[in-house]
Amino acid sequence: MSKNINYLPYFRIYIVWHQKFSNGEELAKYLFNNICGNPEHPFLQGLGIPIHFRSLPFTKETILPKPIDIKQSLNSAIFIFVDNNMVVCDKWQTYIEELCDNKDLKKPHHRIYPVAFTEHFYKLSKKLSRIQFIEKIDEETDVVKQQQKLLTNVLHICVRQIRHIKQVEENNSVDNDVPPLKLFLSYTRRDGREITNKVHELIEKDKILSTFLDTKDIPPGHNFVEQIDKVLKDCAMLIFQTDTYASRYWCHWEVLTAKKYKIPILVINAIKAGEERSFPYLGNVPTIIWQESQISLIFIKILLEVLRHQYFPKYVENLQKFRSIPEGTLVLPFAPELLNLVQHFQENQPKDNTLIIYPDPPLADNEINLLNSLNPKIKALTPSFPVTSIATDHPKKPLSGKVIGISISNSPDLEKLGFSDYHLKRALLEISRHLLAQGASIAYGGDLRPDGFTQNLIEMVKAYNHQENNQPEKKIFNFLAWPIHLQADVNWQAEYKNEVSIEAIPLPEDIKQQSFEIDDETFLKPEGKENCYVWMRCLTAMREEMAKKIDARIILGGQVTNYKGIFPGIAEEAALTLINDKPLFVLGAFGGCAKAVGQALLGDTPMALTWEGQAAQSPTYAETVEFYNERYFLGSPHLPIDYNALIKIFHETGFHGINKLDESENRALFETEDLDEMIYLISKGLQS
């Protein structure tokens, strides 16, 4: 993670498909949303497991995607969607066989899982045909059912692989594979037997999972308390919450035992008439309403919980290589509750300071205060909280009062690099989450489209503000150039008053005094060289003002064509950041303009940042630049558009001078594809 630490993510998933496979991208994004996290709903509890795509051609000279470098993670699962397009392509056969022959593909740490989407799947490669396929996914004609069936298989496979990895690490042996996940079915016979049997029968028929059912699995003459206690240590639990469940002593005992062992739990709510008294310790776990037609969702939700329980502790253990997480930290794969602390203190000598690490999103203050009522020294934090505050009692957040600019837009290189718009949006949201947790505000220069990045940031800030009892302080500073800010209506500004501060930059005064006949209260379309000139001036004015007010800037992605400013937007914002002596952090993994800026900082001259490259792509742009520079020579108060001067700024600064990180760390930040490493290096550079 730093120059002294070779950080690798604990577990990574690759999804590989032929670009002509019609369902490939849709299925891949469905898996991304459910396993990594849904970028459209950042405060839904995703697992955070990184997923990378391999589909579109990596270069113009090939039809094949970017090669998979297995050494970029400690463990990985590679899912190959085999359809007819892939079967008939010799080049794809070579790509898959080279992957199968990779000497680093060592079980159980790295495994290939082919998925059959054609009856001819076995003809792709003899090497692949030796591996057991995931079959019958395509037998589902309903799209939703096909997605759910694929997700169920993928989740269970990842659960078994991580369990196998842990077994190997603990026993130093690779021989024995782990058995299928066992589900403990907790129910009351009075009114829960019928629905329990329905779920049990489907599990037995599907054969992906196994079950523990008292009437089936406890032999006559055995002590059922001892048997249940023994089996619960290595199970997940399905609780069938019917009207009488909460009144049964042995149901209580099963729940408390399950929570003692911290196993995954899913409550299936099948209450009809109601309960005299609910059992309080059924809380703090996911719940699903019983619907016989949606049994498949039960399997998905419990498998998600199991995978979270398997992955999160190993993820935190891996984080300890570069974060100040003290020994004795209580790591929970779920939000903490008082029962966890009581059980923990019963088993361990209470300490003056108890640190709990649990998954994002963070608890609200009222829940934290309740935990502190048991022990005021308790700290319950998620991995998004600042590294420096975890091991100290310093109350001030390290970035309090700082305004961090984020420059981001869609990159033309995403797909060929193994990413999608989902990856870019998730990177924005996770980086923003960490900055907000460390006390910073976010500055963003962009439009206000409902589906744009601004709206996603707003939802995140709203969530953080709702978790605080005091007056909300976390804000987005949304810098908007004229005439864009004319489109921000009063109703919108009122709705998001506590989250967004609109920084409306007016039309430059010299333009008002010239003969453009502009009404500064009327929106101006960017059409024709004169209007485009005005837009260029206004965007630069906005970016100059933003560069003065921010304390640092992060750039990622970005278009290199079809922009309305004097240069590609992120390149201009990066240059203005350096001109104003503000720290700049360059993330190149997503390609686009940010990658071109990084290449220039390394001493190269990428074509995207040259006049020749830009003029060739757009005659309209070339015409506007000519008009722009003519205005300069006629005395307009701005510099000419000069790509040589732009490149010179980056060449003279270099990676050693853009922030407080050293050159090797900035190179690592520029090159890494791992979001955790990006966030760590940004946090380190900002806190230095």
Side-chain angles (χ1 to χ4, degrees), residues 548-568:
K548 293 175 185 176
K549 292 187 176 180
I550 61 174
D551 295 287
R553 186 187 295 277
I554 301 163
I555 65 171
L556 61 162
Q559 297 284 352
V560 292
T561 60
N562 299 319
Y563 50 90
K564 298 178 178 65
I566 60 174
F567 301 120

PDB file of all heavy atoms in Angstrom, residues 548-568:
ATOM      1  N   LYS A 548      -9.260  28.160  -6.308  1.00  0.00           N
ATOM      2  CA  LYS A 548      -8.851  29.041  -5.208  1.00  0.00           C
ATOM      3  C   LYS A 548      -9.445  28.588  -3.875  1.00  0.00           C
ATOM      4  O   LYS A 548      -8.825  28.748  -2.827  1.00  0.00           O
ATOM      5  CB  LYS A 548      -9.295  30.478  -5.501  1.00  0.00           C
ATOM      6  CG  LYS A 548      -8.579  31.132  -6.677  1.00  0.00           C
ATOM      7  CD  LYS A 548      -9.185  32.504  -6.971  1.00  0.00           C
ATOM      8  CE  LYS A 548      -8.570  33.126  -8.216  1.00  0.00           C
ATOM      9  NZ  LYS A 548      -9.218  34.421  -8.564  1.00  0.00           N
ATOM     10  N   LYS A 549     -10.666  28.031  -3.918  1.00  0.00           N
ATOM     11  CA  LYS A 549     -11.393  27.752  -2.679  1.00  0.00           C
ATOM     12  C   LYS A 549     -11.187  26.343  -2.133  1.00  0.00           C
ATOM     13  O   LYS A 549     -11.464  26.094  -0.963  1.00  0.00           O
ATOM     14  CB  LYS A 549     -12.891  28.010  -2.897  1.00  0.00           C
ATOM     15  CG  LYS A 549     -13.204  29.485  -3.097  1.00  0.00           C
ATOM     16  CD  LYS A 549     -14.704  29.740  -3.147  1.00  0.00           C
ATOM     17  CE  LYS A 549     -15.004  31.223  -3.245  1.00  0.00           C
ATOM     18  NZ  LYS A 549     -16.463  31.503  -3.300  1.00  0.00           N
ATOM     19  N   ILE A 550     -10.745  25.428  -2.960  1.00  0.00           N
ATOM     20  CA  ILE A 550     -10.543  24.064  -2.463  1.00  0.00           C
ATOM     21  C   ILE A 550      -9.183  23.950  -1.789  1.00  0.00           C
ATOM     22  O   ILE A 550      -8.294  24.778  -1.996  1.00  0.00           O
ATOM     23  CB  ILE A 550     -10.663  23.028  -3.598  1.00  0.00           C
ATOM     24  CG1 ILE A 550      -9.593  23.265  -4.678  1.00  0.00           C
ATOM     25  CG2 ILE A 550     -12.064  23.031  -4.185  1.00  0.00           C
ATOM     26  CD1 ILE A 550      -9.560  22.201  -5.757  1.00  0.00           C
ATOM     27  N   ASP A 551      -9.019  22.893  -0.987  1.00  0.00           N
ATOM     28  CA  ASP A 551      -7.743  22.624  -0.325  1.00  0.00           C
ATOM     29  C   ASP A 551      -6.948  21.535  -1.031  1.00  0.00           C
ATOM     30  O   ASP A 551      -5.757  21.376  -0.785  1.00  0.00           O
ATOM     31  CB  ASP A 551      -7.992  22.217   1.126  1.00  0.00           C
ATOM     32  CG  ASP A 551      -8.598  23.349   1.932  1.00  0.00           C
ATOM     33  OD1 ASP A 551      -7.874  24.301   2.240  1.00  0.00           O
ATOM     34  OD2 ASP A 551      -9.813  23.298   2.220  1.00  0.00           O
ATOM     35  N   ALA A 552      -7.601  20.765  -1.902  1.00  0.00           N
ATOM     36  CA  ALA A 552      -6.930  19.717  -2.676  1.00  0.00           C
ATOM     37  C   ALA A 552      -7.916  19.243  -3.731  1.00  0.00           C
ATOM     38  O   ALA A 552      -9.118  19.526  -3.652  1.00  0.00           O
ATOM     39  CB  ALA A 552      -6.501  18.555  -1.788  1.00  0.00           C
ATOM     40  N   ARG A 553      -7.394  18.512  -4.722  1.00  0.00           N
ATOM     41  CA  ARG A 553      -8.263  18.003  -5.774  1.00  0.00           C
ATOM     42  C   ARG A 553      -7.887  16.562  -6.106  1.00  0.00           C
ATOM     43  O   ARG A 553      -6.708  16.193  -6.122  1.00  0.00           O
ATOM     44  CB  ARG A 553      -8.152  18.853  -7.044  1.00  0.00           C
ATOM     45  CG  ARG A 553      -9.161  18.433  -8.125  1.00  0.00           C
ATOM     46  CD  ARG A 553      -8.923  19.160  -9.432  1.00  0.00           C
ATOM     47  NE  ARG A 553      -9.139  20.585  -9.357  1.00  0.00           N
ATOM     48  CZ  ARG A 553     -10.312  21.187  -9.464  1.00  0.00           C
ATOM     49  NH1 ARG A 553     -11.400  20.448  -9.651  1.00  0.00           N
ATOM     50  NH2 ARG A 553     -10.415  22.492  -9.401  1.00  0.00           N
ATOM     51  N   ILE A 554      -8.928  15.753  -6.384  1.00  0.00           N
ATOM     52  CA  ILE A 554      -8.771  14.366  -6.829  1.00  0.00           C
ATOM     53  C   ILE A 554      -9.345  14.275  -8.235  1.00  0.00           C
ATOM     54  O   ILE A 554     -10.454  14.755  -8.485  1.00  0.00           O
ATOM     55  CB  ILE A 554      -9.531  13.408  -5.890  1.00  0.00           C
ATOM     56  CG1 ILE A 554      -9.008  13.535  -4.456  1.00  0.00           C
ATOM     57  CG2 ILE A 554      -9.412  11.959  -6.372  1.00  0.00           C
ATOM     58  CD1 ILE A 554      -9.948  12.939  -3.414  1.00  0.00           C
ATOM     59  N   ILE A 555      -8.594  13.666  -9.170  1.00  0.00           N
ATOM     60  CA  ILE A 555      -9.115  13.521 -10.531  1.00  0.00           C
ATOM     61  C   ILE A 555      -9.168  12.049 -10.918  1.00  0.00           C
ATOM     62  O   ILE A 555      -8.275  11.272 -10.596  1.00  0.00           O
ATOM     63  CB  ILE A 555      -8.295  14.325 -11.567  1.00  0.00           C
ATOM     64  CG1 ILE A 555      -6.867  13.795 -11.694  1.00  0.00           C
ATOM     65  CG2 ILE A 555      -8.276  15.796 -11.209  1.00  0.00           C
ATOM     66  CD1 ILE A 555      -6.075  14.419 -12.853  1.00  0.00           C
ATOM     67  N   LEU A 556     -10.239  11.663 -11.626  1.00  0.00           N
ATOM     68  CA  LEU A 556     -10.374  10.302 -12.141  1.00  0.00           C
ATOM     69  C   LEU A 556     -11.325  10.305 -13.324  1.00  0.00           C
ATOM     70  O   LEU A 556     -12.291  11.065 -13.374  1.00  0.00           O
ATOM     71  CB  LEU A 556     -10.850   9.327 -11.065  1.00  0.00           C
ATOM     72  CG  LEU A 556     -12.199   9.535 -10.379  1.00  0.00           C
ATOM     73  CD1 LEU A 556     -12.632   8.232  -9.709  1.00  0.00           C
ATOM     74  CD2 LEU A 556     -12.145  10.629  -9.324  1.00  0.00           C
ATOM     75  N   GLY A 557     -11.025   9.441 -14.292  1.00  0.00           N
ATOM     76  CA  GLY A 557     -11.849   9.353 -15.489  1.00  0.00           C
ATOM     77  C   GLY A 557     -11.739  10.612 -16.334  1.00  0.00           C
ATOM     78  O   GLY A 557     -10.709  11.277 -16.382  1.00  0.00           O
ATOM     79  N   GLY A 558     -12.813  10.938 -17.025  1.00  0.00           N
ATOM     80  CA  GLY A 558     -12.865  12.180 -17.778  1.00  0.00           C
ATOM     81  C   GLY A 558     -12.823  12.010 -19.283  1.00  0.00           C
ATOM     82  O   GLY A 558     -12.049  11.216 -19.809  1.00  0.00           O
ATOM     83  N   GLN A 559     -13.648  12.803 -19.961  1.00  0.00           N
ATOM     84  CA  GLN A 559     -13.681  12.789 -21.417  1.00  0.00           C
ATOM     85  C   GLN A 559     -12.476  13.536 -21.981  1.00  0.00           C
ATOM     86  O   GLN A 559     -11.967  14.472 -21.373  1.00  0.00           O
ATOM     87  CB  GLN A 559     -14.972  13.462 -21.915  1.00  0.00           C
ATOM     88  CG  GLN A 559     -16.246  12.762 -21.512  1.00  0.00           C
ATOM     89  CD  GLN A 559     -16.497  11.501 -22.338  1.00  0.00           C
ATOM     90  OE1 GLN A 559     -15.805  11.221 -23.304  1.00  0.00           O
ATOM     91  NE2 GLN A 559     -17.511  10.741 -21.949  1.00  0.00           N
ATOM     92  N   VAL A 560     -12.058  13.139 -23.176  1.00  0.00           N
ATOM     93  CA  VAL A 560     -11.001  13.872 -23.884  1.00  0.00           C
ATOM     94  C   VAL A 560     -11.535  14.421 -25.208  1.00  0.00           C
ATOM     95  O   VAL A 560     -10.785  14.999 -25.993  1.00  0.00           O
ATOM     96  CB  VAL A 560      -9.756  12.981 -24.133  1.00  0.00           C
ATOM     97  CG1 VAL A 560      -9.070  12.649 -22.824  1.00  0.00           C
ATOM     98  CG2 VAL A 560     -10.145  11.704 -24.879  1.00  0.00           C
ATOM     99  N   THR A 561     -12.823  14.235 -25.457  1.00  0.00           N
ATOM    100  CA  THR A 561     -13.493  14.807 -26.630  1.00  0.00           C
ATOM    101  C   THR A 561     -14.865  15.311 -26.210  1.00  0.00           C
ATOM    102  O   THR A 561     -15.335  15.023 -25.102  1.00  0.00           O
ATOM    103  CB  THR A 561     -13.669  13.757 -27.755  1.00  0.00           C
ATOM    104  OG1 THR A 561     -14.471  12.675 -27.258  1.00  0.00           O
ATOM    105  CG2 THR A 561     -12.333  13.221 -28.232  1.00  0.00           C
ATOM    106  N   ASN A 562     -15.488  16.087 -27.094  1.00  0.00           N
ATOM    107  CA  ASN A 562     -16.860  16.575 -26.873  1.00  0.00           C
ATOM    108  C   ASN A 562     -17.011  17.357 -25.570  1.00  0.00           C
ATOM    109  O   ASN A 562     -17.970  17.172 -24.827  1.00  0.00           O
ATOM    110  CB  ASN A 562     -17.855  15.410 -26.891  1.00  0.00           C
ATOM    111  CG  ASN A 562     -17.858  14.681 -28.217  1.00  0.00           C
ATOM    112  OD1 ASN A 562     -17.787  15.306 -29.275  1.00  0.00           O
ATOM    113  ND2 ASN A 562     -17.935  13.356 -28.167  1.00  0.00           N
ATOM    114  N   TYR A 563     -16.052  18.204 -25.286  1.00  0.00           N
ATOM    115  CA  TYR A 563     -16.110  19.058 -24.104  1.00  0.00           C
ATOM    116  C   TYR A 563     -16.358  20.495 -24.565  1.00  0.00           C
ATOM    117  O   TYR A 563     -16.259  20.815 -25.759  1.00  0.00           O
ATOM    118  CB  TYR A 563     -14.811  18.964 -23.298  1.00  0.00           C
ATOM    119  CG  TYR A 563     -13.565  19.151 -24.136  1.00  0.00           C
ATOM    120  CD1 TYR A 563     -13.022  20.419 -24.329  1.00  0.00           C
ATOM    121  CD2 TYR A 563     -12.940  18.071 -24.744  1.00  0.00           C
ATOM    122  CE1 TYR A 563     -11.892  20.601 -25.114  1.00  0.00           C
ATOM    123  CE2 TYR A 563     -11.815  18.240 -25.527  1.00  0.00           C
ATOM    124  CZ  TYR A 563     -11.293  19.506 -25.717  1.00  0.00           C
ATOM    125  OH  TYR A 563     -10.180  19.690 -26.500  1.00  0.00           O
ATOM    126  N   LYS A 564     -16.665  21.378 -23.620  1.00  0.00           N
ATOM    127  CA  LYS A 564     -17.049  22.744 -23.972  1.00  0.00           C
ATOM    128  C   LYS A 564     -16.067  23.788 -23.456  1.00  0.00           C
ATOM    129  O   LYS A 564     -16.271  24.991 -23.652  1.00  0.00           O
ATOM    130  CB  LYS A 564     -18.449  23.043 -23.441  1.00  0.00           C
ATOM    131  CG  LYS A 564     -19.529  22.148 -24.044  1.00  0.00           C
ATOM    132  CD  LYS A 564     -20.891  22.451 -23.457  1.00  0.00           C
ATOM    133  CE  LYS A 564     -21.971  21.583 -24.101  1.00  0.00           C
ATOM    134  NZ  LYS A 564     -21.787  20.138 -23.798  1.00  0.00           N
ATOM    135  N   GLY A 565     -15.010  23.331 -22.762  1.00  0.00           N
ATOM    136  CA  GLY A 565     -14.029  24.270 -22.242  1.00  0.00           C
ATOM    137  C   GLY A 565     -12.864  24.474 -23.196  1.00  0.00           C
ATOM    138  O   GLY A 565     -12.871  23.992 -24.332  1.00  0.00           O
ATOM    139  N   ILE A 566     -11.834  25.179 -22.721  1.00  0.00           N
ATOM    140  CA  ILE A 566     -10.679  25.440 -23.577  1.00  0.00           C
ATOM    141  C   ILE A 566      -9.821  24.185 -23.753  1.00  0.00           C
ATOM    142  O   ILE A 566      -9.183  23.995 -24.793  1.00  0.00           O
ATOM    143  CB  ILE A 566      -9.823  26.603 -23.028  1.00  0.00           C
ATOM    144  CG1 ILE A 566      -9.295  26.290 -21.615  1.00  0.00           C
ATOM    145  CG2 ILE A 566     -10.614  27.900 -23.014  1.00  0.00           C
ATOM    146  CD1 ILE A 566      -8.320  27.333 -21.084  1.00  0.00           C
ATOM    147  N   PHE A 567      -9.774  23.357 -22.724  1.00  0.00           N
ATOM    148  CA  PHE A 567      -9.086  22.068 -22.752  1.00  0.00           C
ATOM    149  C   PHE A 567     -10.069  21.004 -22.268  1.00  0.00           C
ATOM    150  O   PHE A 567     -11.129  21.339 -21.736  1.00  0.00           O
ATOM    151  CB  PHE A 567      -7.859  22.077 -21.830  1.00  0.00           C
ATOM    152  CG  PHE A 567      -6.820  23.105 -22.148  1.00  0.00           C
ATOM    153  CD1 PHE A 567      -6.470  24.083 -21.212  1.00  0.00           C
ATOM    154  CD2 PHE A 567      -6.170  23.103 -23.374  1.00  0.00           C
ATOM    155  CE1 PHE A 567      -5.505  25.022 -21.495  1.00  0.00           C
ATOM    156  CE2 PHE A 567      -5.191  24.050 -23.669  1.00  0.00           C
ATOM    157  CZ  PHE A 567      -4.866  25.014 -22.729  1.00  0.00           C
ATOM    158  N   PRO A 568      -9.732  19.711 -22.424  1.00  0.00           N
ATOM    159  CA  PRO A 568     -10.521  18.698 -21.714  1.00  0.00           C
ATOM    160  C   PRO A 568     -10.648  19.096 -20.245  1.00  0.00           C
ATOM    161  O   PRO A 568      -9.651  19.464 -19.602  1.00  0.00           O
ATOM    162  CB  PRO A 568      -9.698  17.423 -21.910  1.00  0.00           C
ATOM    163  CG  PRO A 568      -8.979  17.640 -23.206  1.00  0.00           C
ATOM    164  CD  PRO A 568      -8.653  19.106 -23.228  1.00  0.00           C
TER     165      PRO A 568
END
